[in-house]
Amino acid sequence: MNPILRPLLFATVFVLVHANILTAQIPDIQRVEPMFWWTGMQNPALQLLVYGKDIANSSVSLKYAGVELKGVLKTESPNYLFVNLHISPEAKAGTLALMFTSGKKERSYSYELRAKSTDRSRIQGLNAADVIYMLMPDRFANGDPKNDKIAGMPDIMHRDSLHARHGGDIQGIINHLDYIKDLGCTAIWSTPLLENNMERYSYHGYAITDYYKIDARFGSNELYKQYVDKAHSMGLKIVKDMVLNHCGDAHWFIKDPPALDWAHSLADYKTNPAWKKEYPRGNYRASTLTDPYAAQSDKHSMSDTWFDSMMPDMNQQNPLLATYFIQNSIWWVEYAGIDGIRMDTYPYPDKDFTAQWAKAVMTEYPQFYIVGEVWINDVGMSAYWQSNTRNKDGFVSNLPATTDFPLNFALSAAFNENESWDTGLIKLYNVLASDFQYTDANNNVIFLDNHDLNRYFTAVKEDMRKLKMALTVLLTTRGVPQVYYETELAMPGVKDPDPLVRKDFPGGWANDSANGRSASGFTEKGRSVQQNEAFNYFRTLAQWRKIKPVVHTGKLTHFIPQDGVYTYFRHNNSEAIMVMLNNNDKDARTVKTNRFRERTAGFIRAKNVITGEVLSDISSVTVPAKSALVLELMK
Ligand code: CA
């Protein structure tokens, strides 16, 4: 052989052999999601997302009693396979061998099928007997300093920076479950705990980069499950915050998507570096979705634009993504035994998808609770999103509850305004008078503030009297009360920027007071006089409420505000609670209760719930200026 040709021949043979190795490579599997599933589910269908380099070149087979392979779907990307399974009621828990074959090479993947829990009391759902404590885990308590810095996660702890991680975690919540319980709350809604492995600004948790994994800076999936179990053992329920409208752009399925229609504008984002800087911001107008006259372009701007430059807008009209999200939510309910979901930005995704999602979760767990964040200051537009509302456009939502922003706006206005025909307490009265539009207003989550709003104490100009009046309404009117962490400490704060209403809970970090930070809010001694005043007021009412079914399920009857006093009753066949709010800034009001006789008839005396004092005659009641009375009526 010509020595010059020899290397050429060698090269040719090498290429041929190498190419042969490529086509016959053992199928690469990096992810199968859901990671495992259960037998005995209501819905026998399961769709597995299989991710791995060139996995689409593989064929799939399996043999397992009661489980049938219904088909395999491919997308634009060679790195994805979607495997449809049917799990019959006869299928037993065990390990299923999924066989992936590429050329002559095979790979078996062990997929676990667990048995669905048969404990019916495990997942409880929420109702108006509950009071939700809402917190931001990064800003609540640092229970495990070892997870403050995690290799491979660039956004590390830096407590002096408003936008960096502060180190709070799941262990921190576990450590203070007794505080939350003692406060009189019965459930916890923590902002998202799923992985947000973003370069920066990830502490809030709304830029998810893995829907199946708790962020390592918060803990682990196993610790999350322990947190739910521990909370349950103490009589506390857990609400999980979910985000299906958008994810973080560092999500693995955005970096290497199954198809360019996985998220809106993904092609622009991937091919045009300038797009990200000038991406078309949406109008954030949820009213366009209920508006019978809305322009298509406005609806499109609301539904299909990115929430933020780092948050791709997911395309839930892609049926593979829709199934992925539905199964992911059900996976978390069954895996961890959570009691409810708070769904972020509920109107923003495709609304037919969210309706399908809510139906799927509620069908699997009829006792479950879902509250959708519907940030609209209008009762009709909010009610549109609640299940069983008879909407004229035929839309059926399947969503059990909404966040009651109309009541929130009224509560922020009423105690700041002077009384007139249409200002002050009448705003509170009128917003409740609009409840006929809801299927069940008593299911709404009601609140004074949250992580996206100015602190209520600031909204009422740091007037403790107004805060107490608002807390009284929160804990005695219809609905499921939610208190935002530190509101029980009368914490002020204006959301300019957002982290100023998301401050570290005092005492959540070791040695804070020794290091010149605030003393502990968790103990009476650590709290200031003002903090104890708010804390004790809230705690007294919340602990009392816990054992008062009349406040959970009793009827609400209210009387038109007169002379700056608003009076309402919660009542059932055996009990009656009378609440009186005097909105006059300087003067007490003595009210003849004869006007309320349809509700006071048969009652003579009353017990003041806050002071314990007994009023021997309720025919006339004096309410001090800018204050509330909660009276348990007695015969
Ligand atoms: Ca930590």
Side-chain angles (χ1 to χ4, degrees):
M1 189 183 288
N2 184 328
I4 297 170
L5 281 178
R6 192 178 286 166
L8 197 63
L9 181 68
F10 175 78
T12 310
V13 169
F14 175 79
V15 167
L16 285 172
V17 169
H18 191 68
N20 193 35
I21 290 170
L22 270 182
T23 54
Q25 234 174 13
I26 294 174
D28 172 48
I29 298 171
Q30 293 174 32
R31 289 172 179 270
V32 176
E33 294 181 348
M35 289 104 76
F36 50 84
W37 200 248
W38 294 269
T39 58
M41 302 294 269
Q42 290 285 323
N43 180 1
L46 173 65
Q47 182 172 81
L48 301 178
L49 177 157
V50 182
Y51 177 68
K53 185 151 175 27
D54 296 321
I55 191 67
N57 295 332
S58 302
S59 59
V60 186
S61 60
L62 70 92
K63 241 184 194 171
Y64 191 87
V67 179
E68 190 186 342
L69 178 66
K70 300 293 275 188
V72 176
L73 301 168
K74 296 181 186 184
T75 58
E76 288 164 22
S77 166
N79 301 333
Y80 286 83
L81 274 183
F82 290 83
V83 179
N84 286 330
L85 303 179
H86 181 272
I87 303 170
S88 75
E90 294 75 40
K92 300 241 178 336
T95 303
L96 182 159
L98 278 169
M99 198 60 80
F100 293 84
T101 310
S102 172
K104 290 184 175 166
K105 299 279 182 178
E106 287 192 327
R107 172 166 176 184
S108 169
Y109 185 91
S110 297
Y111 191 79
E112 190 187 353
L113 282 177
R114 303 180 177 184
K116 184 183 181 183
S117 172
T118 52
D119 179 1
R120 281 165 190 267
S121 65
R122 179 167 172 249
I123 294 155
Q124 301 168 64
L126 275 74
N127 56 47
D130 288 300
V131 175
I132 303 169
Y133 192 75
M134 184 209 165
L135 59 85
M136 290 205 97
D138 183 62
R139 306 288 157 100
F140 185 61
N142 187 3
D144 183 3
K146 290 197 295 297
N147 62 22
D148 293 347
K149 292 188 173 93
I150 299 279
M153 302 193 109
D155 191 10
I156 58 170
M157 174 175 169
H158 186 25
R159 267 186 89 195
D160 291 327
S161 162
L162 285 176
H163 300 285
R165 293 257 170 180
H166 286 192
D169 48 35
I170 294 172
Q171 190 58 51
I173 309 174
I174 294 174
N175 293 350
H176 297 290
L177 289 175
D178 54 352
Y179 169 81
I180 295 167
K181 186 181 166 121
D182 175 64
L183 185 60
C185 295
T186 65
I188 301 168
W189 153 27
S190 145
T191 51
L193 290 159
L194 291 175
E195 185 192 88
N196 273 230
N197 195 8
M198 303 286 284
E199 281 292 319
R200 54 191 186 279
Y201 309 139
S202 69
Y203 76 92
H204 52 71
Y206 290 96
I208 293 168
T209 56
D210 191 330
Y211 280 93
Y212 280 98
K213 191 179 175 197
I214 294 291
D215 195 291
R217 290 157 295 192
F218 290 141
S220 63
N221 287 8
E222 293 72 28
L223 186 68
Y224 183 74
K225 196 165 156 22
Q226 287 171 31
Y227 154 63
V228 178
D229 289 345
K230 173 86 176 156
H232 281 175
S233 75
M234 294 173 68
L236 294 165
K237 301 172 184 176
I238 298 297
V239 178
K240 187 171 175 64
D241 200 335
M242 301 287 262
V243 194
L244 302 186
N245 177 62
H246 47 266
C247 66
D249 66 352
H251 194 295
W252 61 270
F253 69 32
I254 293 298
K255 288 180 179 167
D256 182 15
L260 284 174
D261 72 348
W262 200 245
H264 294 117
S265 307
L266 204 51
D268 293 329
Y269 166 75
K270 292 227 168 254
T271 57
N272 179 6
W275 184 86
K276 196 170 166 179
K277 281 184 192 151
E278 297 160 3
Y279 80 101
R281 202 168 262 280
N283 55 29
Y284 305 100
R285 294 277 184 191
S287 52
T288 57
L289 304 174
T290 51
D291 180 355
Y293 316 116
Q296 286 303 322
S297 57
D298 285 341
K299 286 178 189 253
H300 167 77
S301 170
M302 168 65 197
S303 293
D304 302 339
T305 52
W306 287 32
F307 200 74
D308 181 271
S309 64
M310 294 188 295
M311 296 177 177
D313 188 66
M314 306 308 295
N315 177 20
Q316 301 86 2
Q317 285 176 334
N318 179 321
L320 298 173
L321 179 64
T323 302
Y324 182 88
F325 276 154
I326 289 169
Q327 291 181 167
N328 174 262
S329 295
I330 291 173
W331 189 90
W332 279 106
V333 180
E334 186 61 33
Y335 171 71
I338 54 176
D339 303 289
I341 287 175
R342 177 265 185 190
M343 180 54 74
D344 188 57
T345 52
Y346 197 78
Y348 284 72
D350 176 62
K351 67 183 181 184
D352 293 325
F353 159 74
T354 44
Q356 182 198 354
W357 169 84
K359 187 177 183 182
V361 176
M362 295 307 294
T363 301
E364 200 65 52
Y365 303 100
Q367 75 278 34
F368 200 65
Y369 182 77
I370 307 173
V371 54
E373 182 202 19
V374 179
W375 191 340
I376 307 173
N377 181 18
D378 180 272
V379 174
M381 286 190 230
S382 295
Y384 178 89
W385 298 95
Q386 202 186 36
S387 60
N388 300 321
T389 300
R390 279 191 273 174
N391 292 315
K392 284 174 86 174
D393 63 0
F395 177 69
V396 177
S397 150
N398 304 314
L399 178 73
T402 58
T403 49
D404 201 328
F405 274 91
L407 183 60
N408 171 267
F409 280 97
L411 279 165
S412 296
F415 306 122
N416 282 332
E417 294 177 350
N418 291 324
E419 291 296 302
S420 77
W421 175 257
D422 53 8
T423 59
L425 292 168
I426 193 69
K427 285 197 175 165
L428 202 47
Y429 178 92
N430 277 343
V431 77
L432 293 166
S434 310
D435 272 358
F436 65 92
Q437 294 165 96
Y438 290 110
T439 307
D440 185 0
N442 203 31
N443 239 359
N444 287 2
V445 166
I446 61 174
F447 54 98
L448 305 183
D449 49 12
N450 65 28
H451 58 312
D452 290 325
L453 300 170
N454 289 336
R455 288 274 183 187
Y456 190 81
F457 195 48
T458 296
V460 291
K461 303 171 178 67
E462 301 193 20
D463 187 333
M464 181 63 78
R465 302 173 306 165
K466 295 178 185 173
L467 176 63
K468 285 181 178 175
M469 291 171 86
L471 289 173
T472 305
V473 176
L474 182 73
L475 292 166
T476 57
T477 192
R478 62 46 172 183
V480 185
Q482 167 243 299
V483 61
Y484 181 47
Y485 82 117
E486 299 173 345
T487 291
E488 78 275 24
L489 302 181
M491 188 70 78
V494 175
K495 57 168 248 167
D496 186 20
D498 288 340
L500 293 179
V501 297
R502 304 167 176 182
K503 288 184 177 169
D504 297 351
F505 193 98
W509 280 251
N511 305 319
D512 258 9
S513 48
N515 295 331
R517 291 183 190 258
S518 306
S520 177
F522 292 117
T523 63
E524 187 180 356
K525 274 189 179 170
R527 292 188 285 266
S528 68
V529 171
Q530 178 179 274
Q531 286 173 339
N532 269 321
E533 188 177 354
F535 177 92
N536 290 333
Y537 191 86
F538 183 92
R539 183 182 180 279
T540 301
L541 268 181
Q543 288 288 3
W544 165 81
R545 185 190 194 282
K546 210 190 261 190
I547 50 166
K548 282 287 159 195
V550 66
V551 186
H552 313 156
T553 55
K555 287 182 179 162
L556 170 66
T557 300
H558 61 175
F559 292 79
I560 297 165
Q562 270 188 11
D563 200 19
V565 179
Y566 173 43
T567 302
Y568 61 88
F569 293 79
R570 299 302 305 274
H571 54 98
N572 57 24
N573 288 338
S574 55
E575 281 193 285
I577 309 297
M578 178 161 76
V579 180
M580 303 178 88
L581 301 160
N582 178 2
N583 206 23
N584 294 289
D585 194 47
K586 297 217 164 54
D587 302 314
R589 284 286 182 274
T590 297
V591 180
K592 299 261 182 255
T593 59
N594 195 35
R595 181 160 77 98
F596 315 131
R597 61 184 171 277
E598 64 187 88
R599 293 272 48 98
T600 54
F603 296 104
I604 298 161
R605 300 174 303 145
K607 185 175 146 194
N608 181 321
V609 170
I610 300 292
T611 63
E613 172 195 7
V614 173
L615 281 69
S616 58
D617 177 6
I618 57 163
S619 59
S620 98
V621 177
T622 300
V623 196
K626 276 283 177 213
S627 75
L629 283 182
V630 182
L631 302 173
E632 259 182 59
L633 301 190
M634 298 154 71
K635 305 228 173 195

